Amino acid sequence: AQSVTQLGSHVSVSEGALVLLRCNYSSSVPPYLFWYVQYPNQGLQLLLKYTSAATLVKGINGFEAEFKKSETSFHLTKPSAHMSDAAEYFCAVGGNEKLTFGTGTRLTIIP
Amino acid sequence: GAGVSQSPSNKVTEKGKDVELRCDPISGHTALYWYRQSLGQGLEFLIYFQGNSAPDKSGLPSDRFSAERTGGSVSTLTIQRTQQEDSAVYLCASSKGGGTSSYEQYFGPGTRLTVT
């Protein structure tokens, strides 16, 4: 069975600082990996996806993620945090026509 | 175009009552998914429709939960004899379906269900 683990349920960074949200996956086959973002009282929105093409994936709002097979990781980064980045972020793995999500990381931006 | 819509946005019900939650997917999306989001639990897959068929209903937590989809469009999730542990946000998503497109899902805003 495929799964993802998000390390850190809460992450706080200062405005302008680097954002790093961690995700590790478990999969017996090459995985399809995703990051979704959920703003307060809204549904989830796709940030970026890895589908076995380039290992460095760029998404919306300046976010990117790097697929590292040796580390079974797909961490999400952004060089400079903005107040509008405050949200909950979910890593997910795709398989059997459905997504399996991690438990989420709530990102707080400190002014 | 219009996104995924869900109704009602909020529902408060008494324990033991039945509730129906509705999802209108994006027009032309053949795949539809229901998830449950509980505090601290992340998103839990409930059921997946391809057209009007449900190839995977493995996530439905009990036989009190059922879902249907008609006309390849609107879906209804029904919870019978609600319990307090059913309180959660129920999210619906749709996708174009087929291959990796299945995983590019568009989510509705959710229905917040509170069972008192």
Side-chain angles (χ1 to χ4, degrees):
Chain A
Q2 296 176 305
S3 66
V4 289
T5 302
Q6 292 185 243
L7 301 176
S9 58
H10 290 86
V11 170
S12 295
V13 301
S14 298
E15 190 175 14
L18 172 71
V19 175
L20 171 60
L21 304 182
R22 299 177 186 273
C23 174
N24 288 86
Y25 69 89
S26 173
S27 176
S28 58
V29 298
Y32 297 122
L33 294 165
F34 304 81
W35 277 98
Y36 279 80
V37 60
Q38 185 177 33
Y39 297 103
N41 299 315
Q42 295 185 27
L44 278 72
Q45 179 183 0
L46 179 64
L47 261 183
L48 50 80
K49 61 182 180 180
Y50 168 76
T51 56
S52 76
T55 57
L56 182 62
V57 180
K58 294 187 183 298
I60 62 172
N61 301 337
F63 284 93
E64 61 183 36
E66 186 172 8
F67 173 73
K68 292 187 177 180
K69 184 177 179 180
S70 61
E71 299 178 7
T72 62
S73 69
F74 191 57
H75 301 332
L76 182 70
T77 60
K78 181 174 181 177
S80 177
H82 191 272
M83 295 301 294
S84 60
D85 295 328
E88 188 148 21
Y89 293 80
F90 293 91
C91 182
V93 59
N96 297 321
E97 308 292 331
K98 66 186 181 188
L99 290 168
T100 302
F101 287 89
T103 52
T105 297
R106 184 168 299 278
L107 177 65
T108 300
I109 310 299
I110 303 166
Chain B
V4 177
S5 62
Q6 293 185 245
S7 60
S9 54
N10 281 284
K11 177 72 176 179
V12 180
T13 191
E14 293 180 352
K15 177 181 172 181
K17 297 284 179 104
D18 297 352
V19 294
E20 284 190 352
L21 312 180
R22 176 187 169 107
C23 173
D24 280 276
I26 292 173
S27 177
H29 279 191
T30 59
L32 185 148
Y33 309 79
W34 284 99
Y35 295 90
R36 180 167 68 176
Q37 186 175 24
S38 305
L39 194 61
Q41 298 294 318
L43 277 86
E44 174 188 12
F45 168 80
L46 297 179
I47 188 170
Y48 150 62
F49 287 92
Q50 180 60 45
N52 292 335
S53 301
D56 188 346
K57 53 179 77 172
S58 62
L60 294 178
S62 75
D63 59 7
R64 296 186 295 105
F65 287 72
S66 63
E68 64 175 12
R69 189 179 185 195
T70 56
S73 180
V74 172
S75 177
T76 302
L77 176 69
T78 301
I79 309 173
Q80 295 179 309
R81 305 181 302 282
T82 52
Q83 304 295 311
Q84 288 187 330
E85 61 262 29
D86 299 334
S87 296
V89 176
Y90 290 82
L91 291 168
C92 176
S94 69
S95 75
K96 293 179 181 178
T100 59
S101 296
S102 298
Y103 310 128
E104 295 185 34
Q105 298 179 13
Y106 295 80
F107 283 78
T111 293
R112 182 176 298 277
L113 175 65
T114 304
V115 182
T116 61

